Amino acid sequence: MNFLLISDSSDPRLDDYRNIPDPELLRNRGIFVAEGRLVVRRLLTESAYPTRSVMVTEAAHASLADVLAARSDVPVYVVSSSLMQDVSGFNIHRGCLAVGERPRPATWQQVAAGTRTLVVLERVANADNVGGIFRNAAAFGADGVLLDDSTTDPLYRKAIRTSMGASLVMPFARVGWLPEMLHA
């Protein structure tokens, strides 16, 4: 059994879930947050990114029981909806969050090596648009995504959710200044 019932919002095991709406804080802590049952399932079953823990309501725990049982290495914290909202700082009506560790950034050369199809994003500021592009890139069989420095983080919670977890499995890299990369 890899789950713990937690009823105290000050429990230090929940610290990674505090202040989730602040993407800069999460980035500085070297983590990202996956939200929703389908996305958390994908993180646990398809992604190469390490998962630190999962925080779920009882209903979400039951829904993910098969995956959570197979991942005994991942702590699972079962909490009430109100405690989840208090700790995270926003209303999570899906009842399911997971914290993953940010990978070491890949270079665009590493992502591009041996690929046939790449998607390149320039100045895409909206997280939903970034997530949608990742989801479409995966659906159309792209091998990776390259992003200029001004494009929104694909590991931002909203981008991950909109991508349906595609940004957790699709290789990506920052390219810096796009014309220089295209010239190379």
Side-chain angles (χ1 to χ4, degrees):
M1 183 182 328
N2 63 333
F3 72 93
L4 299 163
L5 292 169
I6 296 180
S7 58
D8 181 1
S9 64
S10 66
D11 191 309
R13 293 173 290 196
L14 302 179
D15 286 349
D16 280 342
Y17 296 94
R18 298 186 198 291
N19 300 311
I20 287 175
D22 185 343
E24 190 63 34
L25 177 64
L26 295 177
R27 234 185 334 275
N28 289 340
R29 289 165 41 196
I31 60 176
F32 63 87
V33 174
E35 176 186 349
R37 297 172 192 182
L38 294 174
V39 173
V40 169
R41 180 178 291 276
R42 197 160 193 192
L43 172 63
L44 293 169
T45 60
E46 297 177 47
S47 179
Y49 302 151
T51 304
R52 283 194 187 178
S53 65
V54 175
M55 181 171 65
V56 291
T57 60
E58 287 187 29
H61 184 256
S63 174
L64 293 169
D66 59 328
V67 173
L68 296 173
R71 291 293 309 268
S72 60
D73 60 315
V74 177
V76 177
Y77 307 125
V78 180
V79 300
S80 68
S81 294
S82 61
L83 188 139
M84 184 177 282
Q85 184 173 335
D86 289 346
V87 170
S88 68
F90 72 105
N91 182 16
I92 304 162
H93 52 84
R94 293 166 189 87
C96 185
L97 295 173
V99 171
E101 295 179 9
R102 285 184 168 272
R104 166 179 266 143
T107 66
W108 70 264
Q109 294 91 338
Q110 291 168 319
V111 171
T115 63
R116 292 178 44 124
T117 305
L118 292 170
V119 174
V120 180
L121 304 182
E122 181 180 22
R123 292 188 284 184
V124 181
N126 183 289
D128 291 322
N129 291 340
V130 170
I133 292 168
F134 267 79
R135 187 172 66 211
N136 283 302
F140 287 107
D143 300 306
V145 179
L146 303 178
L147 309 94
D148 74 348
D149 287 339
S150 65
T151 294
T152 295
D153 180 12
L155 293 181
Y156 173 56
R157 178 179 53 85
K158 286 180 70 175
I160 294 171
R161 185 180 69 229
T162 304
S163 78
M164 293 302 295
S167 60
L168 300 174
V169 296
M170 174 75 60
F172 69 88
R174 295 278 179 188
V175 299
W177 195 50
L178 197 55
E180 184 177 297
M181 183 276 300
L182 292 172
H183 179 73

